[in-house]
Amino acid sequence: MIRSELDAAGVHDPALRDAYQQCRMLNAEHGRTFFLATRLLAPQQRPAVHALYGFARRADDIIDDFDDTLGAGERAERLQRLATQLFNQLVQHQNSGHDPALRAVVHTARRYGIPWEMFDDFLTSMRMDLTVTDYPDRKSLERYMHGSAEVIGLQMLPVLGTVGPREEAAPYAAALGKAFQLTNFLRDVDEDLQRGRVYLPADELAAHRVDRELLGWCHTNRRTDARVRRALTEQHATTRRVYDVARKGIEMLDPRSRPCVEAAYTLYSEILDRIENIDFAIFNQRATVGTGRRLQVAGVGLIGAWRARLTHGR
C-alpha cells in the first residue's frame, strides 16, 4: 500500500521513500484516529499528511517523553537543534542531517508551498510547554493554540485543496485544528496534570471555584468534584461552538478531501459526546470512541471518497 501511495505522489528517490514510510509508521502507531481518516484521502495526498504528522510527533516526543533524566534545558536544546535543522534545510537549502521526519517534511513543504513561518509558530508553542504550566485566561491559551493547533490545520490546507481561494478557507481550517486540540485538553486533563500542566483558562475555572489544588484532589481521589464538573461542562460547550464554526469550512475543501475531514470531524467530536456521556468522570476513565464506531465512520467515508474520486478524478 505504501509503495502505491508514494508512486502516486511521485516520490521515487529511495531515501525519500524510506523517510515517508517511517513517518507513515509513526502516524499508524501513535495517531490511530487521525491515521484512519487519512485512509480516505486520495493516495497521492497521504504521504504529505504522514510527513506533517511525523514532524509534529518528532517535536512532541522531545517535549513529552517521560524520560526523567532529561531536564528542561536538555529538551530545549534538542528542540532548538530540530528547529535549526529544519530552517537550514527548508530555508537555506542545506542538505544536512539524516532525520527522516525532516527529510519528508521538507519535501512536503516545498511541494505544497508551506512556509517556514508556520513551522516556526508551531515550534514556538512547543517551547512554551517547557516553561508554561498554566494559562491565566482564554487569550493566553489562544496564543499557545495558534502554534500548537491552528497552524496544523493551515499546513494541511494546501494538501487537502480548496474549491475557492485558500485564504477564505483558512480560518475554518485553523478552527478545526483548534477544536481537535480543545477536545484533547478536556479528555486529557488527568494525564496533563501528571506532566504538571493545565490547559484550561484559570479565570474560567476560578468562576466555578476550581483551581489546580482541586484538580489535584480529583486526580488523587479519581473523582470529579461537582465544581470541576460544572467548569468542565462550560469548557465542553465552548469547544462545541468551535466545532460549529469549523464545520462551515468542509464544503470549501476539494471534494476528494471532504470524506477524510468529515470522518475526522465526526470521530473527534464524538469524543466530546463520550466525555458528556460519562458525566465528566475523566479522572478515572478515558473517553474514547470504540473501534467498531471508528470503523463504521471510516466505512461511510470510504464510500464517499470513492464516489468523489469517480466524479472528480483521482
Side-chain angles (χ1 to χ4, degrees):
M1 180 65 75
I2 181 61
R3 291 181 179 179
S4 62
E5 292 174 359
L6 293 171
D7 290 340
V11 180
H12 302 296
D13 176 80
L16 190 56
R17 288 171 73 91
D18 181 67
Y20 273 109
Q21 187 165 359
Q22 291 192 49
C23 289
R24 184 183 187 273
M25 291 170 60
L26 277 174
N27 195 343
E29 181 180 357
H30 298 287
R32 291 181 299 169
T33 298
F34 185 71
F35 181 77
L36 184 64
T38 66
R39 311 312 302 149
L40 305 180
L41 291 172
Q44 64 265 34
Q45 294 173 298
R46 297 171 196 164
V49 176
H50 298 323
L52 291 170
Y53 180 92
F55 177 76
R57 183 74 197 188
R58 177 84 167 75
D60 191 60
D61 283 347
I62 293 174
I63 300 300
D64 282 334
D65 190 323
F66 275 109
D67 184 351
D68 293 334
T69 65
L70 292 178
E74 174 62 23
R75 294 178 194 271
E77 289 178 10
R78 291 189 181 188
L79 192 63
Q80 184 56 50
R81 282 198 297 270
L82 182 68
T84 300
Q85 289 169 354
L86 178 61
F87 180 84
N88 288 343
Q89 293 184 40
L90 180 58
V91 180
Q92 305 285 41
H93 298 276
Q94 297 178 8
N95 294 319
S96 59
H98 303 285
D99 189 323
L102 285 175
R103 187 189 296 269
V105 82
V106 166
H107 181 264
T108 289
R110 288 176 179 165
R111 178 176 182 179
Y112 288 97
I114 304 171
W116 154 254
E117 287 76 15
M118 287 188 184
F119 296 101
D120 191 32
D121 287 346
F122 167 73
L123 291 165
T124 295
S125 288
M126 294 301 96
R127 291 187 190 95
M128 290 174 66
D129 275 330
L130 294 172
T131 56
V132 179
T133 58
D134 299 88
Y135 293 86
D137 49 37
R138 178 71 52 177
K139 185 177 180 180
S140 62
L141 184 62
E142 294 275 359
R143 283 196 295 270
Y144 171 79
M145 287 192 295
H146 170 70
S148 64
E150 290 182 342
V151 297
I152 303 300
L154 296 174
Q155 288 172 356
M156 287 279 293
L157 197 54
V159 181
L160 298 174
T162 58
V163 293
R166 191 183 301 169
E167 58 269 21
E168 292 182 7
Y172 302 100
L176 189 60
K178 180 163 65 174
F180 290 170
Q181 186 165 67
L182 285 170
T183 302
N184 290 340
F185 287 164
L186 276 172
R187 181 194 63 193
D188 298 336
V189 169
D190 191 61
E191 181 179 322
D192 290 332
L193 277 169
Q194 296 179 59
R195 294 190 171 105
R197 304 184 198 132
V198 176
Y199 291 107
L200 302 173
D203 61 341
E204 295 176 19
L205 296 180
H208 298 276
R209 295 183 293 124
V210 174
D211 55 17
R212 178 182 279 268
E213 182 179 356
L214 182 56
L215 292 174
W217 181 92
C218 293
H219 167 73
T220 300
N221 292 277
R222 320 311 295 166
R223 290 177 53 192
T224 303
D225 180 90
R227 291 164 291 179
V228 173
R229 182 174 289 106
R230 288 192 292 270
L232 293 178
T233 299
E234 182 180 73
Q235 297 299 313
H236 187 279
T238 298
T239 303
R240 281 288 187 206
R241 289 193 290 271
V242 179
Y243 273 99
D244 290 342
V245 172
R247 180 158 189 79
K248 299 173 185 176
I250 295 178
E251 290 302 310
M252 297 181 178
L253 299 175
D254 185 314
R256 298 176 307 162
S257 298
R258 292 173 195 166
C260 166
V261 178
E262 284 271 13
Y265 180 99
T266 298
L267 292 173
Y268 269 92
S269 63
E270 286 190 7
I271 294 174
L272 284 184
D273 295 339
R274 300 297 182 272
I275 293 172
E276 190 172 29
N277 290 343
I278 63 174
D279 198 24
F280 299 92
I282 57 174
F283 296 94
N284 64 355
Q285 56 187 303
R286 184 177 175 85
T288 60
V289 177
T291 301
R293 175 56 179 161
R294 287 193 286 119
L295 292 176
Q296 181 185 36
V297 171
V300 172
L302 189 61
I303 295 172
W306 178 71
R307 288 175 176 168
R309 288 176 211 162
L310 282 179
T311 304
H312 303 279
R314 298 181 68 85

